[in-house]
Amino acid sequence: MPHTAPHYLAEGPRVAIRHFTLEDGPEFSARVRESKDLHRPWLFPPDNEEAYAAYARPLIEDPAKAGFLVCEKDSGDIAGYININNIVRGAFQCGALGYGAFAHAAGRGLMREGLGLVVDHAFGPLGLHRLEINVQPGNTASIALARGAGFRLEGFSPAMLFIDGAWRDHERWALTAEMRAGTHGPTA
């Protein structure tokens, strides 16, 4: 899929991250259709351009959300996406991560690299202190990604999110800026 020169927010050895644009609809929705078997039963991202626009617009416009596309540096192809939802400012400075890889990029370590870039951006320019990930217990790939990025398991929430027609249990994983920096933070 042809790409114009993107504006990357951060770059790693193999991937870079950038914000969603409405112009990404054709590629994103095509990647979702190609990845249906990978995503089910965990994810249901938009698989057509109209649904993509409705999905992406809040990630672009709402200050309580930040959406990032993980792109392969050599081709510019979208490898996956990582969203920070429910950003709360004030004393909390926290957001909830959601993410998905696309089939052509799965198992290649691209999302791990992209997640590291997003975490650095969240704790740096976005000024967040804490990130949370909620994962269904059977989603071993997502749990491995959270664990590999340094998130710690903090708990279990029965019937937490309504997904695929039912209330699903979730494990709660979290990471703070101090954990990422290897410090214990301020003392009282």
Side-chain angles (χ1 to χ4, degrees):
M1 296 181 190
H3 294 277
T4 58
H7 172 70
Y8 291 131
L9 300 167
E11 296 184 36
R14 297 180 301 151
V15 302
I17 58 169
R18 65 178 176 83
H19 288 297
F20 279 71
T21 69
L22 293 178
E23 292 75 25
D24 292 310
E27 181 182 1
F28 189 96
S29 56
R31 296 285 184 205
V32 167
R33 290 189 300 273
E34 294 166 2
S35 305
K36 191 173 189 174
D37 290 341
L38 176 67
H39 291 159
R40 300 299 188 261
W42 319 114
L43 299 173
F44 296 85
D47 63 0
N48 64 63
E49 291 183 48
E50 182 179 336
Y52 171 83
Y55 174 82
R57 191 165 277 111
L59 293 168
I60 295 167
E61 298 172 358
D62 185 344
K65 298 178 183 291
F68 303 92
L69 296 174
V70 177
C71 301
E72 296 182 67
K73 280 177 48 177
D74 61 348
S75 65
D77 290 348
I78 300 171
Y81 59 96
I82 302 170
N83 301 328
I84 306 175
N85 298 296
N86 306 322
I87 296 172
V88 178
R89 296 295 182 173
F92 200 30
Q93 296 297 333
C94 180
L97 290 176
Y99 47 77
F102 292 129
H104 76 282
R108 296 173 41 205
L110 302 177
M111 288 300 290
R112 179 164 296 191
E113 187 178 323
L115 182 56
L117 295 172
V118 169
V119 168
D120 287 345
H121 188 77
F123 291 153
L126 288 181
L128 296 179
H129 173 258
R130 178 182 174 86
L131 293 171
E132 300 176 353
I133 298 172
N134 297 296
V135 183
Q136 292 180 61
N139 190 343
T140 56
S142 188
I143 290 170
L145 185 60
R147 183 180 285 120
F151 284 72
R152 69 176 171 224
L153 179 62
E154 290 193 335
F156 180 80
S157 297
M160 181 179 184
L161 293 173
F162 194 78
I163 299 172
D164 195 23
W167 288 98
R168 307 291 178 182
D169 298 344
H170 281 72
E171 293 181 1
R172 294 187 325 274
W173 294 77
L175 180 69
T176 64
E178 291 85 8
M179 291 167 60
R180 181 75 167 183
T183 65
H184 296 291
T187 57

